[in-house]
Amino acid sequence: MTNDYKKNSITLPGSIAMGTGVMIGAGIFALTGQIAELAGPLFPLSFVVGAVVTAFSAYTYIKMSNAFPSAGGIGMILRKAYGPTTVAAGASLLMALSMVINESLVARTFGTYTLQAFGGDTDSVLVPVLGVGLIIFAYLVNVSGNRLVGLFSIVMAVLKVGGIALFGAAGLWASGLSFQATGGDMGVSGFVASVALSILAFKGFTTITNSGAEVTDPHRNVGRAIIWSIAICVIVYLLVAFAVGSSLPLDRIVAAKDYALAEAARPALGQTGFYLTAALALVATTSGLIASVFAVSRMLAMLTDMKMIPHSHFGMPGAIKDHTLVYTVVIAGFLTVFFDLSRIASLGAFFYLVMDMIIHWGVFRHLRREISARGWVLLMAIALDAVVLAAFVAMKWRSDPLIVVIGAVGMALVFLFVRIYLARNPVTEGAHDRH
């Protein structure tokens, strides 16, 4: 890699592919079964509601990215809203950590589907081993440079979106369009809680925001790429959700929640369909991880450049973004080894929703007039996030209180860490900060 970000190195199709790559990599293969477990037979509708909430959130990111495209994306938005403060640095780190958490979610999904394809035990130690192997592969691809990442993303996105669409269509055709996933009812609270995971399935659009400085004609194309990637994913998610619900009863979807798509392919398409779906999962998770590692390493590098987080090269050669690439894959590897899919998804949802609300509030308070944003849209985004987060926390507190405690303590430590760092290394507020 070179030391500088390469302007115009990511095309509009490349940025759309990057966004859909991250979303489809985690959203479909890792989360469909978990969403069904919370939402019951209404789980396809959970994706629709998640898309609506995401659309309100995306409004803020599109407005800010069109006005101030940046390689630091989220970090840039927070610094402009709050200045070089603990809130801005802490929320930026929450976003970076939620992206790294997403990488471990995708990595474990890769391991789970790989073992399913070869008849292995999905509780085997090989799941995290394979996941870490994928993370290392994603690191090697990213070290090769931006153009390879963009080309790889486009090829993988075409294969994966086309393959998943074929799976959905074939599953619906084989089932005679009859929806089998009935008989359970988790109630309103379970459904609203499931939307937290649906939102997590769409949050990959922020990958585009974090690569803004490298997208061609960023003032126009960042927003367009976000809209297109969300729209594509809504269609793909609905198609697959209905195909899974048409192939399996609800109890079997929940029992196979870590590999629901492969299990759904078996009755609809036979053993060949099962293997093809598992192969598709490997393609999807691989491309998703590569795109995510690319984006989060850029964001950490931007935060370091802005002096909002500490940096140590630990004797490594190269530029800061080369070092942050290493940090990203090391943390993702750690999470892949020590957390299961359900807890990884929960942590990612906690961190992302809290960060999202902080961003909307900062833009509402300080920047909405400068970027010509509608205040009611920003407030609606906060309200929707708050309702979904409250329902999800309440549900998890009943079923797995430890992960709620880990999430709360983790967020507190992040803000304490940056507060101590900024107190010892104050940053002068410049012209590019909050007005």
Side-chain angles (χ1 to χ4, degrees):
M1 288 184 180
T2 61
N3 289 348
D4 299 316
Y5 297 106
K6 297 178 181 176
K7 290 188 176 182
N8 301 319
S9 62
I10 305 174
T11 62
L12 177 59
S15 56
I16 293 171
M18 191 178 292
T20 55
V22 173
M23 284 191 267
I24 294 174
I28 280 295
F29 294 99
L31 296 172
T32 300
Q34 293 188 48
I35 290 168
E37 184 178 28
L38 292 175
L42 294 177
F43 74 93
L45 184 59
S46 180
F47 285 112
V48 177
V49 177
V52 171
V53 177
T54 300
F56 277 95
S57 285
Y59 176 81
T60 303
Y61 297 87
I62 290 170
K63 282 287 189 179
M64 286 297 294
S65 295
N66 286 347
F68 314 106
S70 162
I74 308 299
M76 173 275 297
I77 294 172
L78 285 159
R79 178 148 173 166
K80 282 191 172 293
Y82 293 100
T85 61
T86 299
V87 173
S92 297
L93 270 186
L94 284 187
M95 180 62 199
L97 285 171
S98 78
M99 293 170 74
V100 175
I101 289 166
N102 182 69
E103 289 162 12
S104 60
L105 177 77
V106 174
R108 279 197 77 104
T109 303
F110 173 86
T112 301
Y113 273 82
T114 301
L115 286 183
Q116 273 293 302
F118 292 99
D121 181 3
T122 53
D123 294 325
S124 166
V125 71
L126 287 176
V127 170
V129 169
L130 289 166
V132 171
L134 179 64
I135 290 169
I136 293 170
F137 174 71
Y139 168 77
L140 295 174
V141 172
N142 272 274
V143 165
S144 302
N146 291 10
R147 292 205 175 273
L148 181 58
V149 173
L151 178 63
F152 197 91
S153 295
I154 291 173
V155 172
M156 289 291 220
V158 170
L159 284 175
K160 141 171 99 175
V161 173
I164 291 173
L166 280 174
F167 160 81
L172 287 172
W173 175 79
S175 67
L177 301 178
S178 61
F179 194 75
Q180 292 191 46
T182 56
D185 183 12
M186 300 304 291
V188 174
S189 61
F191 179 81
V192 176
S194 77
V195 175
L197 296 181
S198 297
I199 292 169
L200 201 62
F202 286 104
K203 70 179 274 294
F205 80 83
T206 56
T207 303
I208 302 166
T209 308
N210 289 339
S211 304
E214 296 162 287
V215 176
T216 55
D217 191 9
H219 294 282
R220 289 182 67 236
N221 284 340
V222 170
R224 290 166 70 192
I226 289 172
I227 292 167
W228 273 105
S229 63
I230 292 173
I232 290 167
C233 285
V234 172
I235 295 168
V236 172
Y237 288 172
L238 276 177
L239 188 61
V240 169
F242 278 110
V244 170
S246 298
S247 299
L248 296 174
L250 189 63
D251 58 343
R252 284 187 60 191
I253 295 173
V254 173
K257 63 182 179 181
D258 289 350
Y259 50 93
L261 263 67
E263 191 67 17
R266 208 189 301 260
L269 305 171
Q271 195 65 19
T272 301
F274 172 85
Y275 285 125
L276 287 175
T277 305
L280 196 58
L282 305 190
V283 170
T285 49
T286 301
S287 63
L289 193 65
I290 288 168
S292 180
V293 166
F294 176 84
V296 75
S297 64
R298 261 71 183 154
M299 183 177 172
L300 288 173
M302 177 61 73
L303 291 174
T304 304
D305 289 340
M306 292 192 293
K307 313 293 185 191
M308 291 172 71
I309 60 173
H311 176 76
S312 174
H313 55 71
F314 295 109
M316 293 184 291
I320 286 175
K321 67 178 182 179
D322 298 321
H323 306 158
T324 54
L325 197 56
V326 174
Y327 307 156
T328 300
V329 298
V330 168
I331 297 170
F334 174 85
L335 290 168
T336 302
V337 170
F338 291 103
F339 286 82
D340 63 22
L341 278 174
S342 180
R343 284 182 162 174
I344 291 170
S346 298
L347 270 182
F350 293 151
F351 283 24
Y352 176 73
L353 287 169
V354 170
M355 180 282 310
D356 202 46
M357 287 188 285
I358 291 171
I359 280 189
H360 298 315
W361 179 246
V363 172
F364 175 80
R365 283 290 305 276
H366 303 295
L367 294 167
R368 72 179 190 275
R369 293 181 180 85
E370 184 177 349
I371 64 172
S372 302
R374 297 179 187 275
W376 72 268
V377 179
L378 303 175
L379 292 176
M380 181 62 78
I382 295 171
L384 291 171
D385 279 350
V387 169
V388 170
L389 179 61
F392 189 63
V393 168
M395 180 70 68
K396 283 295 171 182
W397 184 254
R398 290 195 294 270
S399 63
D400 187 10
L402 179 60
I403 198 62
V404 177
V405 173
I406 290 172
V409 170
M411 284 186 273
L413 289 176
V414 165
F415 283 99
L416 179 63
F417 169 73
V418 295
R419 182 175 180 81
I420 292 171
Y421 171 73
L422 290 175
R424 293 180 175 178
N425 303 273
V427 182
T428 303
E429 191 165 351
H432 60 288
D433 294 317
R434 175 167 55 85
H435 295 275

